[in-house]
Amino acid sequence: MFEDETVDIACPKCGFKNSLLVRELEQSSETHIVCQGCQVGVIVEASEFQHRLHEISNEVEAMQIQAREAGHKSPKPRKGDFQI
Ligand SMILES: [Zn+2]
């Protein structure tokens, strides 16, 4: 459902936000990325991400309810900031 969405993974060292596809995160229990800001290796654990994804899902749901009440349709879900 969120496979084509991206999340911003904040680098624990420099704070640079690296965009990752949700699809990539779901493929394994750990995703290794290299920070585009400082080139440090960052490991993103899927279990942490799943928790965050659940929160995003709740936010989107809330937004859709609000949008429906406001008379708008299909709002674009905003990107979630994933803090390690
Ligand atoms: Zn960095």
Side-chain angles (χ1 to χ4, degrees), residues 49-64:
F49 174 73
Q50 292 294 347
H51 177 68
R52 177 61 197 161
L53 184 62
H54 186 67
E55 289 179 4
I56 294 172
S57 175
N58 286 344
E59 284 175 18
V60 171
E61 212 166 277
M63 281 175 61
Q64 285 172 340

Side-chain angles (χ1 to χ4, degrees), residues 11-16 18 35-40 42:
C11 172
K13 188 179 172 192
C14 73
F16 185 90
N18 300 274
C35 174
Q36 290 171 23
C38 68
Q39 270 72 51
V40 77
V42 179

Side-chain angles (χ1 to χ4, degrees), residues 6 10 16 19 21 24 36 44 51 62-63 65 75 78 82:
T6 59
F16 185 90
S19 286
L21 275 174
E24 292 180 36
Q36 290 171 23
V44 184
H51 177 68
M63 281 175 61
I65 291 168
R78 73 178 172 85
F82 184 73

